[in-house]
Structure formats: C-alpha cells, structure tokens
Amino acid sequence: MIALLEAHRAGLLRRAHWLPNIVAGVIVGVVALPLAMAFAIASGAKPEQGLYTAIVAGLIVSTLGGSRLQIAGPTGAFIVILGGITAKHGIDGLQIATLMAGCMLLLLGVCRMGAVIKFIPSPVIVGFTAGIGVIIWVGQWQDFFGLHGVAARHFHEKLWLLLQALPQLHPATTTLAALSLALLLLTPRLPGLRHLPGPLVALVFATSAQALLHCEGVATIGSAFGGIPQGLPAWRVPDVTLVRVIELIGPAFAIAMLGAIESLLSAVVADGMAGTRHDSNQELIGQGLANIVAPLFGGFAATGAIARTATNIRNGGSGPLAGLVHVLTLVLVVLLLAPLAVHVPLAALSAILFVVAWNMSDLAHFMKMAWRAPRADVLILLVTFVLTVFADLVVAVNIGVILATLHFMRRMASSVEVQALGEQELRQELAHQGFDQLPPGVLVYAVEGPLFFGAVENFERVLAITHTDPHVLIIRLRWVPFIDITGLQTLEDVVLDLHRRGVRVILTGPNERVMAKLEKAKLVALVGRDNVCATLTQALAMCRASVRDADAQEIAAAPAETRP
C-alpha cells in the first residue's frame, strides 16, 4: 500500500480535500522548521542539514511510505546516536551510516519484517525513550545557560561538569532561553496565540530580540555556523569505503532499528487518531528510501515524527498532500528566508529541545509502568533506562530485548505441563473402547504447550519418573502447538531410552506442523509409523489388540491341563 496510490484510490487527492490538507501542511512545515534545525545542531550537524533532511525524507515518505498521514524528518530520538557518530566519525561518517541504515530498512521492508518490529516489548521502548529524553535535556544545558568548556565522553562526567559550571552561566543567554521556554509552555494557553505553534512563537521572539538588542555573548546560528545557505543542496555522494562500512555497521544498525521502531510507532499513533490502517512493510521501504536519498543531498537520518504527524492530523491533514505541502513550505523558507537565520539564538533552540525531551520522557507513563507493571517488566524498564543514560542506547536496547526474551521463555517453559493421565481424565476415550480402566502395562502422558528448548527439562524429568517400566507408553501431543530441534532431540533420546528398556512408544494427536517435523527428524521411523496415531482412541484400540494377542500367546504357551 503506497501512500500516494492509496490516497488516490480513496479519493483524497480530489479538489474538495485540497484546502484542509494545504492548511495542515503549512502548519506542520512551520512546526518542523525550528525542530529540524534544533535536532541537526544537537546531532552535530549544521542547521541547514536538518532542513534538507526534513525536505527530502518528507517528500519520499509522504509519497512512497505505508501511511498516508506520516510526516518524516529528523527526530529527537536520533540525537544520542547521531551525536556519537558525528563526534567519532565526522559528518561524512554520519551520512554513510545513514545510507547504510536506509539499505537495512529497505531490506527489512522487502523481507516483510514490519510486523516483527512491533513485537519489541513496551518496557524496552518506554525505558530507552525516557533515557533519550534525559540525555537530550542534560545535553542542552550548555546552550540554554551559555556555558563554555564543557566536554566529556560519558553522561555522568558531563553532568558533573555542567553542575560545576552552572554558577558561571551567561545571564543574557539564560534569560533569552527562559523566556523562550516560557513562551513554549504558555502559547497553547494564551487566547491570542493558542492557535500558533509554540516553537515558532518562541523562535520568532528570540530571533527578533537578538536582532534588535544584539546581546553580547549570545550564541546564534550566525556566530556558530555562519548562517544558512540560501538555496537547495547539490547532489553529493559520500566517500564510501570498505573500511568505513565495516566501522559503521553497528551505528547503522542502531539507526535502522530505532528508525523502524519510531516510524512504526508514529504510524500506529496516526491510525489511532484518524481511523486509518498503515502498511508496516511499505512504511519501512519508504523510510529506507528516504534514508538512502537524504545523505546524497546533505541530510542525515530521518524517521516518522510522532509530534509532527499528530499535528498534521489535528489540523485537518487526511492524505499525502499535507506532507508534500509541508515539504514545499520548508523549501520556500530555505529559498526566501535563510538570511534571517543568522540571528536565531541557540538558546531558543535548546529551549525547544527541553520541551521535546520532556515529551519524549513521558514521565507520567514511565512512573505508571514502574508502579503497576509486574516486577520482571519493571526490572526490564529500569535496566533499559539506566543503560540508555549511562552506557549506550544500542547496548540498552539489546540487553532490554534479551532480558524480555529470557523472561518470556521462562514463562513459556513454566506453562508447559507434562502429566500422567489416569482413568478419570481418560474416561471418555476408555468408554469408547469398552474399558473401565487403562489396559495393564499402559501409561499415558500428555504434553500441554510448546515443546521447545526451554521446556525440555520438564518433559525429560517427568518421563524419567516411571517407577516401573510399562509395556506401552503413550505420549499425547494433541496440545503441542510447535516443537523445535531441541524438543525433537529430547524426544528422540527419550524414545531410544524407552526402547532399550523394552517399552513400546506410541505418539498420538500431533498437528500437521508437528507431524511434518517428526517425519523430517526421522522420529516417525524411529517409533514406527504404526505407532503414530491421530487420536488417543486409536492408540487405546491398538493397546487393546496388543493385550488380546498377549493373552492368546499366554494361553497357547500354558500346559494343556491349565488352559481354560
């Protein structure tokens, strides 16, 4: 489901839908303007590169993505990863990593892995998102307070240096930042401004104040970056070498995974707000293409932006036209208003990122989960959060997912039951064969749940406790949804051991998937095809016939005078 084609089929490109989508697109473009520059600067790039990213990624995702409402561009979630890549590998390294991440996202979409990404546990997502919010917030203190000489590799070192430097804050910078932050928070509540985007109001105020007052010592885009070029970027292919590709595989994978998670979360939010349905695989393809093309025009990593997508929907956006107008708005800003950017204070952008960090951390949701979730989920949440802040986002996500997976497997393994069935449980099946009780020398064990590597110990232990060897052991597999190679190997070992002890093994009730795996693993041949029954009733009938044969042989072997 390509966004533009899906919107065309739905009739959303007709003239009747133009006005609300144009209005929504202009508003989203205005909102995206300060955010794109702020995210670029925080990621170690130039402010115009954030605009280029929003333009290129926004154009591709709005037309080729899997959600007709998605607005793409640079986002706050990427700041931690991108800032680290830029610091270590430079802006060229960042663009190469973005290009590689785009290829990974494209491959994930083509391989239809969109649904798998959704299975990342909520405690992991909430933990690393809140951690990113904390890192962004602390990382903006330097520009918010006008501090100098604060450089550290690790979060705790940087926090300590910032706390020590706070008494030397720059008064004019801090005042401008505080007023910008106040405008951001108060704009939605002020009668005359509530319909204007808060970031734009704060940006215009701070820029106007600096242009009129020329406050000494206040860092601006002009003083830090020389302004923003008036024009669109030229095509340039980064210098990709095998050495750099190998160095950047890890960072590129981190960008791809985070981009996939955030874009699909944004698409889900859009579906919930507008009652639409997105195509997760096509969304990954669109995001992949966006991240492949953006670095070729001076941009860097982009993904679906939840806040801008929500703004699009709230203001009447219903199709890709709004996303395209958002792109056109940014293009006009770059072409017509770029010279004005020299007066934009970095303090105002840091105030915008303060609000972004607060919204990302979602403290209320974090505390609710920490208070109400099961203890194992709380542990995963806190470990992911702490590792995101103090170690590394990639490490945090990996360990969080591993812990969640281990917890899930433990719960799955504990849910698998292997139990002996007696006459009470088998009353119906026995009645069909005219039995009041199980034939002598016959035991029935039922396996309930997936027979995978986490559950085989329980299976093996229960089957080993057969105090006296029966003549026949029936293993009921009716409630086994799947079996993996470890389960197959364990079952083979159990069958071989029972055969050595002279016990006949009958398997009953495997579903088609389990049966196919039993045949492939040669277990059907091991127990004998005649000893694999579709139902327990058939297995009991086979045991009844065996008992009759055994009785007949015993009578035949007895002395004539003792025969009945």
Coordinates of all heavy atoms in Angstrom, one line a residue, residues 146-177:
G146 N 24.4 29.0 28.3 CA 25.5 29.7 27.8 C 26.8 29.3 28.5 O 27.7 30.2 28.7
L147 N 27.0 28.0 28.8 CA 28.2 27.5 29.4 C 29.3 27.2 28.4 O 29.0 26.9 27.3 CB 27.9 26.3 30.2 CG 26.7 26.4 31.2 CD1 26.4 25.1 31.9 CD2 27.0 27.5 32.3
H148 N 30.5 27.3 28.8 CA 31.7 27.1 27.9 C 32.6 26.0 28.6 O 32.7 25.9 29.8 CB 32.4 28.4 27.7 CG 31.6 29.4 27.0 ND1 31.3 29.4 25.7 CD2 31.0 30.5 27.5 CE1 30.5 30.4 25.4 NE2 30.4 31.2 26.4
G149 N 33.3 25.4 27.7 CA 34.4 24.5 28.1 C 33.9 23.2 28.8 O 34.5 22.6 29.6
V150 N 32.6 22.8 28.4 CA 32.1 21.5 29.0 C 32.2 20.4 27.9 O 31.4 20.5 26.9 CB 30.6 21.7 29.4 CG1 30.1 20.4 30.0 CG2 30.6 22.8 30.5
A151 N 33.1 19.5 28.0 CA 33.2 18.4 27.1 C 33.6 17.2 27.8 O 34.5 17.1 28.6 CB 34.3 18.8 26.0
A152 N 32.8 16.1 27.7 CA 33.0 14.9 28.3 C 32.4 13.8 27.5 O 31.4 14.0 26.7 CB 32.4 14.9 29.7
R153 N 33.0 12.6 27.6 CA 32.5 11.4 26.8 C 31.3 10.8 27.4 O 30.4 10.4 26.7 CB 33.7 10.4 26.7 CG 33.3 9.3 25.8 CD 34.6 8.3 25.6 NE 34.2 7.2 24.8 CZ 35.1 6.2 24.6 NH1 36.3 6.2 25.1 NH2 34.7 5.2 23.8
H154 N 31.3 10.6 28.7 CA 30.2 9.9 29.4 C 29.2 10.8 30.0 O 29.6 11.9 30.4 CB 30.8 8.9 30.4 CG 31.8 7.9 29.8 ND1 31.4 6.9 29.0 CD2 33.1 7.8 29.9 CE1 32.4 6.2 28.6 NE2 33.5 6.7 29.2
F155 N 28.0 10.3 30.2 CA 26.9 11.1 30.7 C 27.2 11.6 32.1 O 27.1 12.8 32.4 CB 25.6 10.3 30.7 CG 24.5 11.1 31.3 CD1 23.7 12.0 30.6 CD2 24.1 10.8 32.6 CE1 22.7 12.7 31.2 CE2 23.1 11.5 33.2 CZ 22.3 12.4 32.5
H156 N 27.7 10.7 33.0 CA 27.9 11.2 34.4 C 29.0 12.2 34.5 O 28.9 13.1 35.3 CB 28.2 9.9 35.2 CG 29.4 9.2 34.9 ND1 29.5 8.3 33.9 CD2 30.7 9.3 35.5 CE1 30.8 7.9 33.8 NE2 31.5 8.4 34.8
E157 N 30.0 12.1 33.6 CA 31.1 13.1 33.6 C 30.6 14.4 33.1 O 30.9 15.5 33.7 CB 32.2 12.6 32.7 CG 32.9 11.3 33.2 CD 33.9 10.8 32.2 OE1 33.8 11.1 31.0 OE2 34.8 10.0 32.6
K158 N 29.8 14.4 32.1 CA 29.2 15.6 31.5 C 28.3 16.3 32.5 O 28.3 17.5 32.7 CB 28.5 15.3 30.2 CG 28.0 16.6 29.5 CD 27.5 16.2 28.1 CE 27.1 17.5 27.3 NZ 26.7 17.2 26.0
L159 N 27.5 15.5 33.2 CA 26.5 16.1 34.2 C 27.3 16.7 35.3 O 26.9 17.8 35.7 CB 25.6 14.9 34.7 CG 24.6 15.3 35.8 CD1 23.7 16.4 35.3 CD2 23.9 14.1 36.3
W160 N 28.3 16.1 35.8 CA 29.1 16.7 36.9 C 29.8 18.0 36.4 O 29.8 19.0 37.2 CB 30.1 15.7 37.3 CG 31.0 16.2 38.4 CD1 32.4 16.3 38.4 CD2 30.6 16.6 39.8 NE1 32.9 16.8 39.6 CE2 31.8 17.0 40.5 CE3 29.4 16.6 40.4 CZ2 31.7 17.4 41.8 CZ3 29.3 17.1 41.7 CH2 30.5 17.5 42.4
L161 N 30.4 18.0 35.2 CA 31.0 19.2 34.7 C 30.0 20.4 34.6 O 30.3 21.5 34.8 CB 31.7 19.0 33.4 CG 33.0 18.1 33.5 CD1 33.5 17.8 32.1 CD2 34.0 18.7 34.4
L162 N 28.8 20.0 34.1 CA 27.7 21.0 33.9 C 27.3 21.6 35.2 O 27.1 22.8 35.3 CB 26.6 20.4 33.1 CG 26.8 20.2 31.6 CD1 25.6 19.3 31.1 CD2 26.8 21.5 30.9
L163 N 27.1 20.7 36.2 CA 26.7 21.2 37.5 C 27.8 22.1 38.1 O 27.5 23.2 38.8 CB 26.5 20.0 38.5 CG 25.3 19.2 38.2 CD1 25.2 17.9 39.0 CD2 24.0 20.0 38.4
Q164 N 29.1 21.8 37.9 CA 30.1 22.7 38.4 C 30.2 24.0 37.6 O 30.6 25.0 38.2 CB 31.5 22.0 38.2 CG 31.7 20.8 39.2 CD 33.0 20.1 39.0 OE1 33.5 19.8 37.8 NE2 33.8 19.9 40.1
A165 N 29.8 24.0 36.3 CA 29.9 25.2 35.5 C 28.6 26.1 35.7 O 28.7 27.2 35.2 CB 30.1 24.8 34.1
L166 N 27.6 25.6 36.3 CA 26.3 26.4 36.3 C 26.5 27.8 37.0 O 25.8 28.7 36.5 CB 25.2 25.6 37.1 CG 24.4 24.6 36.3 CD1 23.4 23.9 37.1 CD2 23.7 25.4 35.2
P167 N 27.3 27.9 38.0 CA 27.5 29.3 38.6 C 28.0 30.3 37.6 O 27.8 31.5 37.8 CB 28.4 29.0 39.7 CG 28.2 27.6 40.1 CD 28.0 26.9 38.9
Q168 N 28.7 29.8 36.5 CA 29.2 30.7 35.5 C 28.3 30.9 34.3 O 28.7 31.2 33.2 CB 30.6 30.2 35.0 CG 31.7 30.4 36.0 CD 31.7 29.3 37.1 OE1 31.6 28.1 36.8 NE2 31.9 29.7 38.4
L169 N 27.0 30.7 34.5 CA 26.1 30.8 33.4 C 26.1 32.2 32.8 O 26.4 33.2 33.5 CB 24.6 30.4 33.8 CG 24.0 31.2 35.0 CD1 23.3 32.5 34.5 CD2 22.9 30.3 35.6
H170 N 25.7 32.3 31.6 CA 25.7 33.6 30.9 C 24.3 34.3 31.1 O 23.3 33.7 30.6 CB 26.0 33.4 29.4 CG 26.1 34.7 28.6 ND1 25.1 35.3 27.9 CD2 27.2 35.5 28.5 CE1 25.6 36.4 27.4 NE2 26.9 36.6 27.7
P171 N 24.2 35.4 31.8 CA 22.8 36.0 32.1 C 21.9 36.2 30.9 O 20.8 35.9 30.9 CB 23.2 37.3 32.8 CG 24.6 37.0 33.3 CD 25.3 36.2 32.3
A172 N 22.5 36.8 29.9 CA 21.6 37.2 28.7 C 21.1 35.9 28.0 O 20.0 35.8 27.6 CB 22.4 38.1 27.7
T173 N 22.0 35.0 27.8 CA 21.6 33.7 27.2 C 20.6 33.0 28.0 O 19.6 32.5 27.5 CB 22.9 32.8 27.0 OG1 23.8 33.5 26.2 CG2 22.5 31.5 26.4
T174 N 20.8 32.9 29.3 CA 19.8 32.2 30.2 C 18.5 32.9 30.2 O 17.4 32.2 30.1 CB 20.4 32.1 31.6 OG1 21.7 31.5 31.6 CG2 19.5 31.3 32.5
T175 N 18.5 34.2 30.2 CA 17.2 35.0 30.2 C 16.5 34.7 28.9 O 15.2 34.5 28.9 CB 17.5 36.5 30.3 OG1 18.2 36.7 31.6 CG2 16.2 37.3 30.3
L176 N 17.2 34.8 27.8 CA 16.5 34.6 26.5 C 16.0 33.1 26.4 O 14.9 32.9 25.9 CB 17.5 34.8 25.4 CG 17.0 35.1 24.0 CD1 16.1 36.4 24.0 CD2 18.2 35.4 23.0
A177 N 16.7 32.2 26.9 CA 16.3 30.8 26.9 C 15.1 30.6 27.8 O 14.1 29.9 27.4 CB 17.4 29.9 27.3

